[in-house]
Amino acid sequence: MNGFIFIFVNFIHRLENEKCNKKLEDLRQENRNLKSENSKLRSQLQDIQNELPSPEVRSPPQDSQNELPSPKESMSKAVDHKLESSDESRESEPPTVLKKRVTKKHWVKLPFQLSSTENDGQQPQETNADDPKSCWMQSEDVTKKPLKQCTSPAKAFSPRTQPKVSLVSIGIDFGTAFTGYSFGFKGAKQIRQPKWGEEYGMNTPKTPTCILFDENKNFLKFGYDAIMYYTRQTRRNEAKKLFLFDDFKMELYGKVLHRDSMMTAKNGKKMRAMKVFSESLKFMKDHALDMMGKHTAGVTYSASDATWVLTVPAIWSSAAKQFMTEAATEAGLVTESEPERLIVALEPEAASVWCKQLPKEGFMEGDLTEAETIEQVPGTQYMVVDCGGGTIDITVHEVVEGGHLKELHRVSGNNMGGQTVDKNFKAFIREIFSEKVFDEFEKHHPSELQRLMYDFSICKRYDGEVLVQCPYSLQQIASKVDDIEAYFSRDNDVDWESGQILLSGAKLKDLHEDSVRGIESLMKEILKKPTLNIRYIFLVGGFALSPYVNRFVKEKFGSKCQVLCPVDAQMAIVNGAVMFGMMPNVVESRISVFTYGIAVVHFFDKIKHKGKSKYVSKDGVHYCDVCFHCLVKKDESIPFDEAEQYIFNALEIDQRELPFSFYCTEKETAEFVDEEGMRKIGSLVVSMPKISQGRNRSVILEIKFGFTEMQATATDVDSGETTSVKMDFMSK
Ligand SMILES: Nc1ncnc2c1ncn2[C@@H]1O[C@H](COP(=O)(O)OP(=O)(O)OP(=O)(O)O)[C@@H](O)[C@H]1O
Ligand SMILES: [Mg+2]
């Protein structure tokens, strides 16, 4: 036995050795890549230096009153340079300045100069880089930990690998009420999706967003299967053990999210939200791969053959989007090494990609004028209104050359989707039957309540009066208190019709009122913008099919714009997502929802920086180290997939590290990183080990304001040392 263990352990060691060797080889390769990248960066830097006039060398005044870039609470740090640097401000620039903002594709000349990094005449004290006190610290780090302790950024990652070409694009529309997927093979025009619920007499393009786990929190069922199984268990009184979650997508809306956030199941017990979401996505992934096999004579597909496009509401926070991205990774849609296989698209954005290429016949009524499709007419501006179960999401696009899209207005929305009508109905029924009766029904007959709500949601398809089956148990509980017809005698908008609840057309319309007003206010806000010239309004999503919603939008806005609804309105999102996966650059630019920036230091101004954190450099210069330097302003247009580059150089001659802290705010302008509304979303520290060039050393900071994730990479030009960080919007 011991011999066996020995052999086994040896075997494990050998395996580990092999793994280590492989890793070593990978690292060597990575090193070679970095070296070549480094030489490219050097030549880019040289290009910039050649482009710029000779810098003027100046020492910063020792006690400057002027506004200047500077670091905080540490030795030295990335120092901001005013973008609109005037001659005056240049006079007071410290030696370390943000030199230039450039984009990856073309170097943009900005109105500030590359300052000299030669010895500027100051004589900073000698510091021992190994002494923690002489390390840099993050400006907002109130505990003032030496930087040595925070050299590994929150989420360091290796540079992206070149993606394999995907065989198939798979879109997943994880809806509040219904979830579905579609897929399209590369080169084929056809987009396919399964039909759901056939075994229960249904035939829908999406299945209810409902997931069931057993008492040990192991996944059991999703969609119609989950509902049916749960209902059967309820009859057997077994349901209390099970964990059922339905309509849970909105749990990610408007909440402080972290990876261990919990969600409450129908049985009142809690489970990790990440698990609920990732198991749901895993179910969709497995179903999709299985279905694709069936469409291709049994060819087996794996998740890595696909580009996955996950749609999320436009109004979701960055944290919620990140939560979904991490859930998708946990579900095995993508691996951490190939994150580019996952695209997170906004629901109205995906729908826009679908609508722009639809021919006239693709719309239910109304007509496209002139061209065959919208995408053939550059300059056409249109609004997409996704009316889902949970949210109303809006985007405004303009067609540009090549049928690509440019976002014209920051995406907007609210939580006034179709389920608002359901909630109003539930509240109304509670009022009719009294709280006492309804609460008893809700507590003891959850599956019957679910059935009642489902029956009502079908009624939303109709105009005028509708009949909803009243659950038998509700009738029973109610009749113990009063004669059943008496409940209905108090309201003229509702009647009792032998076991059914008759709602008047006026009442049904009334139940839609909150949603319709919610849609109106969002649309009005956009349409009043004088710079926009919106020609079409596309209504998509299941709730767009509601006669009340449809008629309201046409009556209210039909005189200004042409209102069109695609034939497959509920599938516009997921089908558009498939197309998105085939051409991820289809949306050329987006409007930033936040202002993004970094922490920088400015020369300490006794008035302006009164009460603010001060940092005194080794050479005695006073800085305010909580200043905010804006990189992207809210409402600014950000080109797709273009990285912005910023160049910094050393403040101290013996500086061995350069820290960066990234922030975002909903404000359009901000001055300090410690002001209200400012959120830290990441930090990194790049080593600058070669100090022989003194201050004449540069770090290139590259930031990609991508949509699926936002990442920053800092590279020390002299040594090629590089550090990257993905911005983390979650609180833990
Ligand atoms: N024909 C119809 N008429 C009226 N309402 C409908 C119709 N079909 C579906 N709905 C409603 O539309 C909503 C579902 O639409 P959809 O599938 O687009 O939403 P979702 O994707 O689940 O939600 P979200 O996009 O908000 O996450 C539900 O409230 C449903 O009752
Ligand atoms: Mg939706």
Side-chain angles (χ1 to χ4, degrees):
M1 184 63 182
N2 280 347
F4 171 75
I5 292 172
F6 178 70
I7 292 166
F8 180 72
V9 169
N10 258 354
F11 174 64
I12 297 287
H13 281 167
R14 255 206 347 264
L15 278 182
E16 275 174 358
N17 267 352
E18 269 169 31
K19 263 197 230 158
C20 287
N21 284 339
K22 168 98 185 49
K23 196 151 191 195
L24 198 63
E25 189 41 47
D26 288 350
L27 285 171
R28 283 197 185 118
Q29 183 56 42
E30 204 167 282
N31 198 17
R32 284 194 287 274
N33 293 344
L34 285 173
K35 275 190 181 150
S36 107
E37 185 66 17
N38 180 23
S39 70
K40 270 191 235 153
L41 287 171
R42 273 177 172 285
S43 87
Q44 284 180 350
L45 185 66
Q46 193 55 52
D47 288 350
I48 309 167
Q49 283 170 334
N50 292 343
E51 268 178 46
L52 294 163
S54 306
E56 199 179 332
V57 183
R58 281 181 190 273
S59 306
Q62 285 295 300
D63 202 13
S64 172
Q65 298 286 311
N66 298 325
E67 183 196 334
L68 283 166
S70 76
K72 166 170 169 125
E73 79 223 15
S74 60
M75 297 301 296
S76 49
K77 145 172 218 158
V79 181
D80 175 27
H81 176 78
K82 284 178 83 175
L83 280 174
E84 304 80 21
S85 92
S86 63
D87 284 340
E88 277 160 69
S89 65
R90 212 174 294 133
E91 278 200 306
S92 47
E93 278 165 15
T96 306
V97 293
L98 166 63
K99 289 185 272 189
K100 199 172 184 191
R101 187 171 98 152
V102 287
T103 66
K104 208 175 190 180
K105 291 188 182 155
H106 38 262
W107 301 91
V108 178
K109 218 168 180 181
L110 286 172
F112 46 77
Q113 293 187 2
L114 182 67
S115 82
S116 168
T117 50
E118 290 296 321
N119 188 335
D120 56 14
Q122 292 181 82
Q123 298 289 318
Q125 300 150 23
E126 276 296 316
T127 50
N128 172 10
D130 290 326
D131 173 2
K133 290 197 292 303
S134 66
C135 291
W136 289 47
M137 285 177 271
Q138 303 302 307
S139 59
E140 67 305 321
D141 184 355
V142 282
T143 57
K144 301 201 176 191
K145 273 185 291 180
L147 199 64
K148 269 180 130 186
Q149 292 171 16
C150 44
T151 44
S152 25
K155 270 210 124 193
F157 67 99
S158 25
R160 284 172 165 238
T161 48
Q162 205 51 29
K164 270 197 296 176
V165 178
S166 299
L167 300 172
V168 61
S169 169
I170 306 175
I172 298 181
D173 176 8
F174 196 111
T176 310
F178 296 95
T179 293
Y181 68 84
S182 292
F183 58 92
F185 288 98
K186 192 172 171 272
K189 281 198 169 160
Q190 202 173 12
I191 292 177
R192 296 167 187 272
Q193 62 274 136
K195 287 283 172 211
W196 298 91
E198 278 173 332
E199 55 278 50
Y200 308 109
M202 318 268 186
N203 186 345
T204 53
K206 290 165 91 180
T207 191
T209 305
C210 184
I211 188 167
L212 188 65
F213 297 86
D214 69 14
E215 63 262 50
N216 299 317
K217 301 182 181 175
N218 295 316
F219 170 75
L220 279 179
K221 311 262 177 204
F222 189 89
Y224 287 116
D225 292 344
I227 295 176
M228 296 305 173
Y229 187 91
Y230 182 76
T231 307
R232 278 200 297 274
Q233 298 306 308
T234 310
R235 285 190 202 121
R236 288 187 211 141
N237 255 337
E238 294 285 306
K240 285 216 165 71
K241 290 185 199 156
L242 305 176
F243 289 73
L244 180 83
F245 298 91
D246 62 355
D247 299 343
F248 54 91
K249 177 179 160 187
M250 292 300 273
E251 292 277 333
L252 301 191
Y253 177 66
K255 303 231 169 98
V256 176
L257 283 175
H258 47 85
R259 290 173 187 92
D260 292 323
S261 292
M262 302 299 274
M263 266 166 60
T264 309
K266 279 266 180 290
N267 63 4
K269 293 186 189 160
K270 290 192 187 296
M271 217 170 131
R272 264 182 80 228
M274 185 63 85
K275 176 157 181 171
V276 178
F277 280 84
S278 72
E279 288 288 352
S280 304
L281 289 171
K282 184 173 178 300
F283 170 82
M284 281 289 145
K285 176 201 76 175
D286 293 341
H287 201 287
L289 295 176
D290 194 42
M291 176 64 63
M292 277 157 42
K294 287 182 186 150
H295 276 83
T296 48
V299 176
T300 313
Y301 291 94
S302 71
S304 64
D305 291 322
T307 292
W308 298 88
V309 185
L310 200 54
T311 59
V312 296
I315 54 162
W316 266 14
S317 65
S318 304
K321 288 172 199 157
Q322 186 182 333
F323 191 95
M324 281 303 266
T325 310
E326 292 188 15
T329 311
E330 198 168 301
L333 271 69
V334 289
T335 57
E336 300 233 358
S337 63
E338 282 191 309
E340 63 284 333
R341 289 201 174 285
L342 178 71
I343 297 169
V344 177
L346 298 181
E347 287 162 9
E349 192 174 62
S352 168
V353 174
W354 179 249
C355 292
K356 80 176 173 76
Q357 53 83 52
L358 279 180
K360 294 173 188 188
E361 307 75 53
F363 296 98
M364 288 202 286
E365 53 197 57
D367 211 355
L368 285 180
T369 41
E370 299 145 32
E372 282 285 296
T373 62
I374 300 274
E375 68 184 0
Q376 290 169 354
V377 191
T380 308
Q381 295 184 3
Y382 61 90
M383 182 192 292
V384 180
V385 186
D386 174 14
C387 306
T391 51
I392 304 296
D393 284 292
I394 302 188
T395 191
V396 180
H397 279 154
E398 179 178 320
V399 178
V400 292
E401 288 304 326
H404 287 205
L405 300 171
K406 178 177 155 193
E407 194 175 83
L408 296 180
H409 188 275
R410 166 162 45 94
V411 283
S412 56
N414 59 34
N415 58 349
M416 290 288 155
Q419 288 184 345
T420 308
V421 186
D422 303 352
K423 277 180 207 144
N424 287 347
F425 170 73
K426 192 171 160 187
F428 177 63
I429 294 297
R430 172 177 262 123
E431 205 182 293
I432 292 286
F433 281 103
S434 80
E435 266 184 37
K436 189 170 166 279
V437 167
F438 196 84
D439 287 349
E440 191 181 334
F441 165 66
E442 187 168 20
K443 189 168 172 211
H444 298 292
H445 304 277
S447 63
E448 288 204 39
L449 172 61
Q450 206 164 17
R451 180 81 215 178
L452 170 70
M453 296 310 292
Y454 178 77
D455 286 349
F456 172 71
S457 79
I458 302 292
C459 292
K460 286 193 295 189
R461 297 176 188 177
Y462 305 107
D463 216 351
E465 59 179 23
V466 289
L467 278 169
V468 191
Q469 183 68 43
C470 181
Y472 182 67
S473 49
L474 178 54
Q475 294 183 42
Q476 292 263 298
I477 297 167
S479 55
K480 278 193 273 174
V481 180
D482 205 345
D483 180 35
I484 196 88
E485 294 194 349
Y487 290 97
F488 294 85
S489 60
R490 296 184 273 269
D491 196 313
N492 291 336
D493 278 328
V494 66
D495 233 326
W496 182 250
E497 288 252 341
S498 48
Q500 299 184 92
I501 301 163
L502 178 71
L503 281 183
S504 70
K507 187 71 212 173
L508 190 57
K509 182 170 181 281
D510 187 42
L511 298 176
H512 282 75
E513 201 58 20
D514 291 339
S515 273
V516 156
R517 295 293 155 214
I519 296 170
E520 181 189 19
S521 67
L522 289 170
M523 293 179 69
K524 262 190 171 167
E525 186 64 30
I526 294 169
L527 289 167
K528 76 178 185 203
K529 209 173 158 184
T531 49
L532 295 176
N533 180 20
I534 295 171
R535 185 153 179 203
Y536 300 100
I537 293 170
F538 294 123
L539 286 181
V540 299
F543 192 42
L545 299 169
S546 150
Y548 291 98
V549 170
N550 212 281
R551 196 171 43 233
F552 177 84
V553 174
K554 280 180 182 154
E555 280 173 10
K556 200 84 196 170
F557 304 104
S559 59
K560 294 190 193 109
C561 315
Q562 199 174 344
V563 182
L564 295 167
C565 196
V567 173
D568 256 342
Q570 198 178 12
M571 296 306 283
I573 295 99
V574 72
N575 289 345
V578 173
M579 303 190 81
F580 209 110
M582 292 177 179
M583 40 177 178
N585 61 348
V586 61
V587 180
E588 273 191 4
S589 61
R590 296 189 173 93
I591 304 288
S592 182
V593 188
F594 293 110
T595 294
Y596 294 98
I598 54 173
V600 294
V601 294
H602 286 183
F603 286 128
F604 201 87
D605 179 319
K606 281 180 186 157
I607 298 165
K608 200 171 169 194
H609 301 135
K610 193 174 174 204
K612 290 283 171 196
S613 168
K614 191 189 273 185
Y615 157 71
V616 183
S617 73
K618 288 181 215 165
D619 41 3
V621 181
H622 290 218
Y623 295 101
C624 171
D625 58 359
V626 285
C627 299
F628 177 73
H629 177 79
C630 174
L631 300 177
V632 166
K633 228 176 158 185
K634 183 174 177 176
D635 286 334
E636 194 179 319
S637 183
I638 314 174
F640 173 79
D641 213 26
E642 254 181 40
E644 297 280 334
Q645 289 184 344
Y646 306 84
I647 301 168
F648 295 81
N649 57 356
L651 180 66
E652 311 272 9
I653 56 166
D654 58 349
Q655 187 178 326
R656 289 171 189 269
E657 285 174 330
L658 191 58
F660 293 92
S661 292
F662 304 90
Y663 290 83
C664 75
T665 174
E666 284 190 39
K667 292 182 193 166
E668 276 172 31
T669 53
E671 276 190 274
F672 302 102
V673 296
D674 61 353
E675 67 187 50
E676 210 193 317
M678 198 57 88
R679 276 188 53 208
K680 189 178 173 189
I681 52 172
S683 62
L684 66 80
V685 182
V686 65
S687 303
M688 306 179 81
K690 296 186 174 176
I691 59 166
S692 60
Q693 298 294 310
R695 292 195 180 90
N696 191 15
R697 294 176 293 141
S698 300
V699 165
I700 296 181
L701 177 70
E702 183 177 283
I703 307 187
K704 202 161 146 193
F705 296 94
F707 182 73
T708 304
E709 61 189 20
M710 186 176 148
Q711 62 192 52
T713 303
T715 307
D716 174 39
V717 177
D718 279 346
S719 65
E721 290 281 340
T722 185
T723 313
S724 299
V725 69
K726 276 184 203 170
M727 300 307 148
D728 188 353
F729 294 90
M730 275 197 265
S731 57
K732 214 186 341 170

